């Protein structure tokens, strides 16, 4: 009687899995999706980030925000930001995915623009004051650069309609007018 013995040898090698070791194997962490909603906000706005992942714990940077799969977290970026979801398994292996929230500048807004006094005699002066936000201000005619809430003095030679134009960093403008009436000289 003849007996044949077979020996079987298996070897296991881990290739390409960052941070894993041969003493303990964890499944590769997977990210099904990582999204921002909305993907664009106005300055000061809030977006929700949601990651769907498995086989690890999740964290979002910047901010080092611990996250649970499928649960949204709120962010309020001050500038356009690319967020990174990193999922790490028990042996240190990682998977990453990104989502970007674009921050658009707030629309320019003018609260008020007025001449004080609104009527003057020839040779007189008046103050123009604009109260505005989210941009830089210019008064025309004259191309006078202005700061919100700070009066500028003008001395027109005729009744004039002044325009305050406020422009934000994206080139969006708002405008408002104020008319200064030049009173006719009274004869004696």
């Amino acid at each position: 009687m003849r007996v044949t013995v077979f020996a079987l040898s298996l070897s296991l090698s881990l290739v390409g899995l960052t941070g894993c070791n041969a003493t303990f194997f964890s499944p590769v962490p997977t990210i099904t999706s990582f999204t921002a909603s909305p993907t664009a906000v106005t300055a000061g706005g809030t977006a929700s980030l949601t990651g769907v992942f498995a086989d690890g714990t999740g964290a979002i940077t910047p901010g080092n925000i611990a996250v649970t799969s499928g649960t949204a977290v709120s962010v309020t970026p001050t500038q356009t930001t690319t967020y990174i979801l990193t999922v790490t398994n028990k042996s240190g292996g990682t998977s990453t995915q990104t989502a970007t929230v674009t921050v658009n500048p707030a629309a320019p807004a003018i609260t008020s623009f007025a001449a004080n006094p609104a009527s003057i005699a020839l040779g007189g002066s008046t103050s123009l004051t604009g109260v505005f936000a989210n941009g830089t201000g210019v008064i025309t005619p004259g191309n006078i650069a202005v700061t919100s809430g700070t009066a500028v003095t003008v001395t027109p030679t005729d009744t004039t309609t002044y325009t305050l134009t406020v422009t934000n960093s994206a080139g969006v403008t708002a405008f408002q007018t104020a008319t200064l009436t030049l009173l006719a000289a009274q004869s004696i």
Side-chain angles (χ1 to χ4, degrees):
M1 170 180 241
R2 186 172 167 174
V3 177
T4 305
V5 177
F6 291 96
L8 180 60
S9 172
L10 296 174
S11 78
L12 175 65
S13 64
L14 300 175
V15 178
L17 186 58
T18 306
C20 287
N21 60 50
T23 58
F24 182 79
F25 178 73
S26 293
V28 176
T30 57
I31 301 173
T32 305
S33 64
F34 181 45
T35 58
S37 179
T39 57
V41 296
T42 301
T46 299
S48 294
L49 301 174
T50 306
V52 177
F53 56 90
D55 300 319
T57 57
I60 297 173
T61 55
N64 293 319
I65 306 164
V67 291
T68 302
S69 180
T71 302
V73 294
S74 295
V75 292
T76 307
T78 57
Q79 61 188 8
T80 297
T81 303
T82 297
Y83 292 91
I84 303 168
L85 169 62
T86 302
V87 179
T88 306
N89 68 12
K90 291 179 182 179
S91 40
T94 61
S95 291
T96 61
Q97 195 165 342
T98 62
T100 299
V101 178
T102 302
V103 177
N104 297 314
I110 300 172
T111 304
S112 63
F113 180 51
N116 187 20
S119 300
I120 59 170
L122 182 62
S125 296
T126 191
S127 294
L128 299 173
T129 306
V131 177
F132 57 90
N134 306 323
T136 56
V138 174
I139 295 174
T140 54
N143 290 321
I144 306 163
V146 293
T147 303
S148 179
T150 303
V152 295
T153 302
V154 293
T155 308
T157 57
D158 201 354
T159 294
T160 305
T161 298
Y162 290 92
T163 302
L164 168 62
T165 303
V166 179
T167 307
N168 72 8
S169 60
V172 177
T173 61
F175 68 92
Q176 191 167 336
T177 61
T179 299
L180 174 63
T181 303
L182 194 63
L183 301 173
Q186 295 183 1
S187 49
I188 301 176

